[in-house]
Amino acid sequence: MNVKVLGAAREVGRSGFLIDCDGTNLLLDYGVMFGRRGSPPQYPSHVKPKDIDSVIITHAHLDHSGYVPSLFVSGHCNVYTTPPTLELTQLLIEDMLKIEKNFHPFDLPELNNMIKNTKEIGFREKIKRGNATFELRSSGHVIGGGTVLVESDNKRVFYTGDIHPKGSRMLKEADLDIGKIDLVITESTYSQTEQMPRKQSEDGLVEFANEVMDRKGILFVPAFSVERSQEIACVLRNAGFKHKVIMDGMALKVNEIMFRYLEYLRDPKVFADSINRAVSIRNNRERKNALSEPCVVISPAGMLVGGNAVYYLQELAFDSKNGIALVSYQGDGTPGKKLLETGKVETRGRDLKVSAEVRQFEFSGHADKNELFNLIKNIEGNPKVLTVHGDDESCTKFAQEIHEKLGLEAFSPKVDELIKV
Ligand SMILES: [Zn+2]
Ligand SMILES: [Zn+2]
């Protein structure tokens, strides 16, 4: 077997790995990397659809799925993924095409063609294509999200995609009963960072929400629409939070999709209960009325970029009774990062000091430093390890650590590097 790295090499974004199984080519993920401040998006290295037997999408996030439609511009191939990933991928790519009109070299017809060529598979369902056998295993990262096991010619490759071994309040632990492995392709996002235990983040958020309610304020929680929004609703419900919880924006569409796949969740009852109790906002009038009493507002975008977040900021940021809880990753150059660093937001072209109380909480969907290291340590078979999907330092230092402490051959590959298994 040969692995060609097409992207996510010392960077987070545009994941893509081409596995040549003695002539049967599998493409694991094919994502986009969004440009900073108006620069164009970047994509993984080019592959011809006719050279690929099948694409396997690990999960719906656009850095893993967003470029798959490009393979349907002048050809087609098989796509395999879980049913929830397929629905969420469609939703997220449609949204991307709407926001970045004419930015990408494909459009809705190619997306629809991709969906037509997709075969839905369950976790642990083995698929045989030519000289390759592959399966998805649950990753604990996002609903329907998986890791990939590829077998060919008595060799086995394990690709983590994005992984959260412990899962979350929404998702069960990752399925890591994978046996002997010859090559691991592992994400490295937080390989150099320790995260606050989930319980501590949950308690902190609930306490903050109650404090804000006690002073008759409104707590605004900008959150990613896929899962983080639902997780926050569940955390509040689980803690017996008594006030109104409002959900807005694309999170509502994600709610509908998740309701169709309750079997993928850790506790379907808590999920259904939390979402059913939350108030959905469908138009401007409802949005306005909702803010007439103390409540929690959960709405995208997680980094305060665009959409309803702007509305809620304008309404809520300049009253010291209110609170803003940042629960998502804040990328460089985003309004969320600016709020954290300067205490200011830009509204109507002016930088204004926020008087609402701002606190940040960690609710990451990725393994942290210790979890990643233990994940590699516990894999049998003394595999070779490729560290990808992290910034330069996270990938290179992680590879060094694996080599020094575990004695395994490990390195952070460059784009287009070819690795023999
Ligand atoms: Zn992801
Ligand atoms: Zn990712």
Side-chain angles (χ1 to χ4, degrees):
M1 264 195 286
N2 281 314
V3 174
K4 190 173 176 194
V5 176
L6 307 178
R10 303 184 192 181
E11 63 193 5
V12 176
R14 55 166 172 175
S15 288
F17 304 92
L18 188 66
I19 319 259
D20 177 356
C21 303
D22 207 5
T24 306
N25 285 324
L26 304 179
L27 178 58
L28 313 187
D29 285 341
Y30 211 38
V32 299
M33 184 154 74
F34 293 100
R36 294 253 155 91
R37 298 166 201 257
S39 55
Q42 287 178 279
Y43 307 113
S45 295
H46 182 69
V47 278
K48 292 195 188 99
K50 71 173 173 49
D51 294 335
I52 300 167
D53 182 89
S54 303
V55 187
I56 303 152
I57 304 175
T58 58
H59 67 286
H61 289 154
L62 293 168
D63 58 320
H64 298 259
S65 68
Y67 203 45
V68 179
S70 73
L71 298 166
F72 295 84
V73 171
S74 61
H76 60 88
C77 47
N78 299 309
V79 180
Y80 289 89
T81 197
T82 63
T85 299
L86 180 60
E87 284 205 44
L88 290 170
T89 297
Q90 179 175 8
L91 178 70
L92 293 180
I93 295 179
E94 279 172 358
D95 187 57
M96 170 178 89
L97 291 172
K98 203 157 63 185
I99 294 170
E100 301 183 326
K101 254 190 171 332
N102 306 322
F103 241 48
H104 300 278
F106 55 85
D107 211 337
L108 289 176
E110 287 76 28
L111 173 62
N112 290 333
N113 211 354
M114 168 194 132
I115 289 157
K116 257 187 257 155
N117 283 279
T118 302
K119 292 170 180 64
E120 299 178 334
I121 55 173
F123 292 134
R124 288 186 170 242
E125 187 179 334
K126 282 194 180 171
I127 305 295
K128 190 157 170 44
R129 300 281 315 172
N131 301 317
T133 306
F134 62 86
E135 64 185 290
L136 286 164
R137 295 290 189 91
S138 68
S139 65
H141 170 66
V142 68
I143 185 168
T147 64
V148 190
L149 272 170
V150 179
E151 267 184 81
S152 177
D153 198 21
N154 285 323
K155 299 276 188 186
R156 304 180 79 230
V157 171
F158 177 60
Y159 168 47
T160 65
D162 289 353
I163 190 164
H164 196 207
K166 283 200 196 113
S168 65
R169 193 162 285 286
M170 310 283 299
L171 297 172
K172 287 186 206 131
E173 297 79 10
D175 177 0
L176 288 167
D177 184 12
I178 51 173
K180 278 193 180 168
I181 301 294
D182 298 280
L183 177 87
V184 181
I185 307 170
T186 178
E187 69 135 305
S188 317
T189 322
Y190 292 117
S191 77
Q192 303 305 310
T193 321
E194 271 169 48
Q195 281 163 13
M196 190 188 280
R198 201 59 147 225
K199 179 82 175 64
Q200 214 172 313
S201 305
E202 292 185 357
D203 292 350
L205 178 71
V206 172
E207 201 184 295
F208 188 28
N210 282 321
E211 280 174 35
V212 173
M213 298 306 111
D214 285 349
R215 57 182 191 240
K216 305 278 179 270
I218 294 174
L219 179 66
F220 174 34
V221 188
F224 294 139
S225 51
V226 180
E227 217 154 292
R228 190 71 67 243
S229 294
Q230 292 77 13
E231 185 180 355
I232 299 304
C234 286
V235 166
L236 291 169
R237 174 83 198 110
N238 212 60
F241 185 73
K242 292 200 174 56
H243 296 265
K244 202 163 69 173
V245 173
I246 287 162
M247 293 183 86
D248 196 350
M250 205 169 71
L252 298 175
K253 284 187 188 160
V254 175
N255 288 352
E256 284 171 27
I257 294 175
M258 289 176 75
F259 263 109
R260 288 198 279 278
Y261 300 105
L262 292 173
E263 69 274 23
Y264 283 82
L265 298 175
R266 185 188 282 275
D267 190 341
K269 223 177 103 23
V270 172
F271 169 79
D273 197 31
S274 316
I275 302 305
N276 286 332
R277 272 168 179 263
V279 178
S280 305
I281 300 293
R282 293 198 176 75
N283 54 49
N284 274 329
R285 197 176 50 82
E286 288 183 5
R287 200 162 288 130
K288 229 181 173 136
N289 290 341
L291 302 181
S292 58
E293 56 179 303
C295 61
V296 173
V297 177
I298 306 172
S299 171
M303 303 187 212
L304 293 171
V305 182
N308 303 325
V310 176
Y311 172 82
Y312 287 117
L313 267 185
Q314 276 170 9
E315 294 295 313
L316 303 172
F318 307 106
D319 183 339
S320 60
K321 285 200 308 287
N322 298 332
I324 301 173
L326 298 173
V327 295
S328 297
Y329 170 76
Q330 305 298 323
D332 286 336
T334 60
K337 186 89 167 191
K338 181 170 168 177
L339 173 61
L340 271 179
E341 285 176 348
T342 66
K344 289 179 180 169
V345 289
E346 192 183 309
T347 40
R348 302 187 182 102
R350 283 199 305 152
D351 270 358
L352 294 175
K353 188 104 192 122
V354 168
S355 34
E357 186 184 355
V358 180
R359 291 192 204 166
Q360 191 182 24
F361 302 93
E362 283 175 9
F363 282 91
S364 144
H366 295 264
D368 78 349
K369 189 178 164 74
N370 296 322
E371 289 168 331
L372 269 180
F373 187 78
N374 287 331
L375 169 78
I376 302 299
K377 193 171 117 186
N378 291 330
I379 294 177
E380 297 164 41
N382 297 317
K384 196 187 272 189
V385 182
L386 305 183
T387 56
V388 299
H389 194 292
D391 59 31
D392 199 323
E393 185 184 315
S394 302
C395 290
T396 47
K397 280 201 172 161
F398 187 31
Q400 238 169 37
E401 274 165 25
I402 293 167
H403 178 67
E404 280 162 15
K405 295 184 185 154
L406 302 175
L408 301 174
E409 187 185 339
F411 59 98
S412 50
K414 297 203 176 86
V415 175
D416 289 335
E417 204 163 324
L418 197 68
I419 294 103
K420 206 174 156 43
V421 187

